[in-house]
Amino acid sequence: MFFWYAAFAVLGAWAVLRDARFDYRLIALGAVLPELIDAPVGHRALAHTLVFAVGSLALVMLLTINRRSLRKHLIAIPIGFFAHLVLDFVWVDKSLFWWPGFGSWGSTGIVPAMPWLVVREVIGVVGAVVVLRRWRDGRLA
C-alpha cells in the first residue's frame, strides 16, 4: 500500500506549497516510510504516532542548524510523515495517535478492512498517474 500515501502526499504538498524547486520525491518517501518502518512489527506501531512525526521534524531542525539548503531538502521527509498520519486516518485511533499519552501503540489493533485498502490503493494509482502527468508537463516541478 504505497501509491495512496505517495501520490496524495505529493498532491497535497503541491497544493499548499506550489514551489517548483521543492523536492516532492522526499515527501513521497516520508509518506511511505511509516509503513516500511512498522512492517517488521506486523501492525501500525511507533512510526504511526504523532510523537514520531514531531520527533522527526525536531531532529531535522536540530541537525540542520546553519545548513539552510540541506534543511530545505530534508524537511520534506517529516512533512511526508505528517501526511501519512492524515492519509492513514491514524488520528481516529486515540491510543495510537497520541501514544504514549493514551495507551500503547499496539493495543487497539484497529486496521482498515481489506476492501477499503484495495480501494485506497486503486485511487492512489490514479493519483500517481496524475502526479506523473503533471510532472511531465512541467506543472508539478
Side-chain angles (χ1 to χ4, degrees):
M1 175 112 177
F2 298 104
F3 291 109
W4 169 260
Y5 303 117
F8 287 102
V10 168
L11 286 172
W14 173 253
V16 172
L17 300 174
R18 297 280 180 173
D19 185 357
R21 297 167 299 174
F22 198 80
D23 194 354
Y24 293 95
R25 296 171 299 179
L26 291 177
I27 289 179
L29 175 66
V32 170
L33 274 177
E35 292 296 317
L36 299 175
I37 292 169
D38 286 345
V41 180
H43 57 82
R44 299 191 297 183
L46 182 62
H48 285 79
T49 64
L50 186 61
V51 168
F52 184 82
V54 170
S56 69
L57 178 61
L59 187 65
V60 166
M61 297 304 283
L62 287 173
L63 293 176
T64 59
I65 293 174
N66 296 327
R67 293 187 243 166
R68 189 173 178 177
S69 62
L70 180 61
R71 177 178 286 176
K72 185 175 180 184
H73 290 291
L74 293 182
I75 197 94
I77 295 172
I79 290 171
F81 287 155
F82 283 107
H84 182 94
L85 295 178
V86 171
L87 291 167
D88 202 13
F89 302 97
V90 173
W91 40 271
V92 172
D93 185 355
K94 180 174 76 171
S95 66
L96 176 65
F97 183 71
W98 290 108
W99 178 87
F102 288 101
S104 69
W105 39 263
S107 63
T108 62
I110 297 173
V111 177
M114 184 57 72
W116 174 238
L117 293 176
V118 171
V119 167
R120 282 191 340 188
E121 198 62 8
V122 168
I123 293 170
V125 169
V126 172
V129 168
V130 168
V131 167
L132 292 174
R133 283 187 180 167
R134 284 185 173 197
W135 210 301
R136 185 187 64 215
D137 296 343
R139 293 182 287 159
L140 190 66

